[in-house]
Amino acid sequence: MKVIEYFKSWTFDRYFRIIIAAMIAAYAIDSEQYGLLLASGWFGFLAFTNISCCGVGGCKTTPKQKNTETQNEEITINYEEIK
């Protein structure tokens, strides 16, 4: 089934978001605070579309590349006396 395969590819983050959405929805219905259903819908939307608040992969950064040329060179410092 395609539905089962869809949920198998989920990571911990997506499961966490959908659990939070379900908990917020249950609390909103139980306490009759229906404005919280918007927050529940937001977390559910994030889980099903696999995006975060930053967008798709917006929080991922690339590691800084080391410049091998400057690491091997000896640095000389010239001092000038100021009177």
Side-chain angles (χ1 to χ4, degrees), residues 1-70:
M1 293 185 99
K2 291 182 180 181
V3 175
I4 294 173
E5 292 175 12
Y6 176 72
F7 286 109
K8 282 185 180 179
S9 66
W10 279 30
T11 60
F12 172 76
D13 297 335
R14 293 178 83 176
Y15 283 117
F16 182 73
R17 286 187 202 120
I18 202 69
I19 290 169
I20 293 295
M23 289 173 57
I24 293 173
Y27 177 75
I29 292 170
D30 184 49
S31 64
E32 298 178 358
Q33 295 182 7
Y34 300 112
L36 286 176
L37 287 176
L38 291 174
S40 173
W42 177 250
F43 279 107
F45 174 74
L46 291 178
F48 283 110
T49 57
N50 195 24
I51 60 174
S52 65
C53 297
C54 305
V56 178
C59 298
K60 183 178 179 181
T61 59
T62 57
K64 185 176 179 181
Q65 295 179 355
K66 295 181 180 178
N67 190 354
T68 58
E69 294 176 7
T70 58

Side-chain angles (χ1 to χ4, degrees), residues 70-83:
T70 58
Q71 289 179 348
N72 297 335
E73 294 178 8
E74 192 171 312
I75 299 174
T76 57
I77 301 173
N78 297 327
Y79 295 100
E80 184 177 322
E81 187 176 336
I82 300 176
K83 292 185 180 182

